[in-house]
Amino acid sequence: MKVIRTISELRSELKKRPFDALVGFVPTMGFLHAGHASLLHKAREECQIVVLSIFVNPTQFGPNEDFDKYPRNEERDLAIAKEAGADIVFFPQVEEIYPRPSKTEVIVSDITTKLCGASRPGHFAGVTLVVSKLFNIVQPDKAYFGMKDAQQVAVITQMVNDLNMPVEIVPCPILREEDGLAMSSRNVYLSSEQRNEALVLSRTLMETKQWLITDAPNLVSDIRERITNQISASPLAEIDYVEVLSYPALETVERLDDQESESLIIALAVKFGATRLIDNVIISIKGN
Ligand code: AMP
């Protein structure tokens, strides 16, 4: 496994590959866990060259967010990356990616204004800018993204399709701890009490999914109310949003029986202390 810190070195390394070798790319912000490793495993299965990037991207953090204290651990990350089968780890400094302020913006409209886009203004503009830059740097055939960030998958897929970027976006399932908590680098911020209370997210999502199958409620307002009540019962939970939208279009849905698209997303963002967690489930409503 090679650790590369500059764009020029990465480009010359990738030039050496056989012309028919598929390049699989897993962009991350590091502090790796089994969720990240699952993306690397999938890339390893499908591609001859697996590139992992570790870059805490300042442009996707708001001024009062956790950029400075985002967890970092290079040594541990490199061990996990090696174990999971990465060939190349691209580990640039901020100045390598942003040697000057970017005057170019990459903006996906509409779907970036919902969910996390509403709570975190500018977040997706930072994501689409850095992912475009990384795609131009790595030029992957396939790029692997976790459904933990389902809106990000929708936004990146839209960007790639709209701009004819020659890369296939591969969505990968959410990896969870044994007790159901969605794996996240930010889970380390949680106290043991907060972590325990945070289980309400996955528990509510799984129960709601089951309830939709057994009781077939029709009004989305009822679904939201039930979820909101369940989460609010946890004294440490402060709800940012509870949404039920079509997926991947992220359109408002009022009734399930006049729903055009085949999938819904139930998406949650909830703060426990200063730590904001997100989780979601995708529900197939036609013929599930
Ligand atoms: P991050 O380092 O948080 O920016 O995440 C990098 C990639 O890993 C993104 O595509 C995430 O969606 C994905 N990811 C993060 N957590 C998980 C998880 N629990 N299961 C699957 N993928 C994940």
Side-chain angles (χ1 to χ4, degrees), residues 28-202:
T28 77
M29 298 204 299
F31 210 71
L32 301 181
H33 51 67
H36 298 114
S38 73
L39 309 188
L40 288 166
H41 291 143
K42 180 87 174 148
R44 183 75 283 162
E45 270 167 45
E46 297 184 348
C47 302
Q48 286 69 52
I49 309 223
V50 175
V51 181
L52 165 73
S53 66
I54 297 179
F55 181 61
V56 185
N57 172 39
T59 64
Q60 71 189 69
F61 287 79
N64 299 317
E65 293 184 355
D66 57 346
F67 173 70
D68 286 329
K69 70 179 188 78
Y70 195 83
R72 294 161 167 90
N73 187 333
E74 177 167 339
E75 203 181 320
R76 189 170 151 271
D77 281 354
L78 294 180
I80 294 173
K82 192 167 182 193
E83 170 77 27
D87 297 308
I88 298 174
V89 180
F90 180 47
F91 216 140
Q93 296 288 311
V94 171
E95 304 71 51
E96 183 70 7
I97 300 297
Y98 297 111
R100 68 198 86 81
S102 179
K103 293 192 179 179
T104 305
E105 295 180 307
V106 183
I107 303 292
V108 173
S109 61
D110 181 44
I111 54 174
T112 53
T113 63
K114 320 281 175 77
L115 302 176
C116 289
S119 316
R120 305 180 66 187
H123 169 69
F124 284 110
V127 169
T128 46
L129 177 62
V130 81
V131 172
S132 304
K133 286 166 79 79
L134 290 169
F135 282 177
N136 283 332
I137 292 165
V138 177
Q139 302 192 5
D141 296 285
K142 295 181 169 212
Y144 297 80
F145 289 85
M147 285 300 286
K148 163 88 186 338
D149 301 279
Q151 184 176 17
Q152 177 169 272
V153 170
V155 169
I156 299 293
T157 304
Q158 182 81 38
M159 173 186 86
V160 160
N161 290 340
D162 286 349
L163 297 181
N164 305 93
M165 293 182 173
V167 52
E168 180 191 339
I169 302 304
V170 183
C172 301
I174 302 178
L175 242 79
R176 297 179 178 281
E177 304 287 355
E178 266 183 28
D179 56 13
L181 183 69
M183 289 183 184
S184 164
S185 306
R186 290 189 168 100
N187 290 349
V188 291
Y189 299 147
L190 298 169
S191 69
S192 60
E193 197 189 1
Q194 289 167 339
R195 194 200 172 287
N196 203 34
E197 294 259 330
L199 297 178
V200 71
L201 304 187
S202 54

Side-chain angles (χ1 to χ4, degrees), residues 8-19 49 88:
S8 59
E9 202 193 326
L10 180 66
R11 286 197 165 131
S12 45
E13 182 63 29
L14 285 168
K15 271 204 188 113
K16 293 184 204 154
R17 73 180 187 272
F19 81 98
I49 309 223
I88 298 174

